[in-house]
Amino acid sequence: YRRWKIDRDMAVEAILAAEARSRVEVIRSIYRAYARSHGKDRYGDKTPNHVLHMQVLGALFPEVVFVHVIRDGRSVALALQEMSFGPSTAWEAASYWEERVKAGRVAGRELGGDRYLEVRYEELCSDPERVLRQVTAFIGLDYDAAMLEYQQATARQLEMSPAPGEDRSLLRPLTPGLRDWVSDMPARDVVAFERVAGSTLAALGYELGSSSTSAPAHLQGRLRGALEGLRCRWQERAGHRPVW
């Protein structure tokens, strides 16, 4: 509420106006009020961890559709290292990424093509207009070239961000090579990541960068990644950032 600049009176008024009688209706009324305060009649949410709860959200909110943006996990691992949350090693980052990508794709198959769209981050950066046209057609909006002028919304996003320093990349133009694992990821981290999530990378069509594909090494990597993933989730629930 604080970041959205919604005060108590505005929230109560929105809930009463909607005659909300359930938590789902309360959530809808708050989102609708926020959208209207910016002159909008549609709203969305980009909380990353919602990818783990798509079936529940889809059941609670039958009007909701999902756009799942998938990025090469090795570049995701590099980005996560700059954040104040989440994994800090290649092993754990691989487990973290793979769990979320798989969960989103499984939920997407259950939701069906009318409610689930898969988009590649790399294609969004290299050909934003084509991808945005695909997304807008999916969610039932008309494409507008102004959608490419995202810099106009940067100031508001940074103002709302709990950690503006971590969102500083918003100030840059679209940069396909930003945090490129090919040039920026140490070879040992590439091997570690691929031992845990190499099969998922390959299934998504991403080229593998290491030659370490022996079965024992792969199983060892998956086991270590799974254990570190459990530690990470335990520390997240305890309110601590994992330190490895």
Side-chain angles (χ1 to χ4, degrees):
Y1 289 161
R2 184 174 60 255
R3 290 190 216 123
W4 285 11
K5 297 183 179 178
I6 294 179
D7 60 25
R8 182 181 182 278
D9 291 340
M10 180 180 177
V12 170
E13 181 180 348
I15 293 168
L16 292 175
E19 299 183 353
R21 300 183 184 278
S22 69
R23 281 187 289 181
V24 168
E25 292 175 353
V26 167
I27 291 169
R28 280 199 192 99
S29 65
I30 296 298
Y31 273 76
R32 189 180 298 117
Y34 174 72
R36 287 175 178 171
S37 71
H38 290 277
K40 310 296 182 182
D41 58 7
R42 296 280 296 271
Y43 52 84
D45 191 302
K46 66 179 186 69
T47 303
N49 276 344
H50 282 175
V51 76
L52 298 173
H53 311 288
M54 286 168 54
Q55 290 99 328
V56 173
L57 292 170
L60 290 173
F61 300 92
E63 74 275 19
V64 166
V65 295
F66 298 87
V67 179
H68 186 190
V69 183
I70 296 178
R71 183 183 185 183
D72 188 313
R74 293 158 294 190
S75 294
V76 172
L78 292 176
L80 287 170
Q81 291 174 5
E82 301 177 10
M83 303 300 172
S84 58
F85 63 88
S88 56
T89 69
W91 291 96
E92 203 279 323
S95 178
Y96 179 98
W97 173 83
E98 186 176 54
E99 177 187 23
R100 284 154 178 75
V101 168
K102 284 186 172 181
R105 302 193 90 197
V106 168
R109 287 193 290 272
E110 295 181 4
L111 289 163
D114 291 338
R115 301 188 66 190
Y116 175 83
L117 175 67
E118 202 166 279
V119 168
R120 294 301 175 90
Y121 173 88
E122 294 82 4
E123 294 178 3
L124 177 61
C125 287
S126 63
D127 193 356
E129 180 176 340
R130 180 184 63 78
V131 175
L132 284 175
R133 285 185 180 277
Q134 180 186 15
V135 171
T136 52
F138 171 70
I139 64 178
L141 287 177
D142 293 329
Y143 173 77
D144 190 319
M147 294 175 180
L148 295 174
E149 300 172 2
Y150 64 91
Q151 295 92 339
Q152 296 181 7
T154 297
R156 188 175 75 229
Q157 176 64 28
L158 291 175
E159 180 183 349
M160 291 172 56
S161 174
E166 295 175 356
D167 287 333
R168 60 187 180 276
S169 294
L170 291 172
L171 299 173
R172 303 183 183 184
L174 285 173
T175 310
L178 185 63
R179 301 189 191 94
D180 184 357
W181 71 270
V182 175
S183 57
D184 300 335
M185 195 174 206
R188 65 180 182 279
D189 286 349
V190 174
V191 172
F193 191 103
E194 293 181 6
R195 282 182 176 176
V196 176
S199 60
T200 301
L201 284 169
L204 289 165
Y206 291 113
E207 184 178 352
L208 299 184
S210 72
S211 58
S212 179
T213 56
S214 65
H218 176 71
L219 292 174
Q220 181 186 34
R222 293 192 65 81
L223 177 59
R224 182 170 178 178
L227 290 173
E228 293 198 5
L230 289 173
R231 285 188 224 170
C232 178
R233 284 193 290 278
W234 179 84
Q235 291 201 358
E236 284 178 344
R237 290 175 182 174
H240 304 293
R241 182 190 178 196
V243 178
W244 312 106

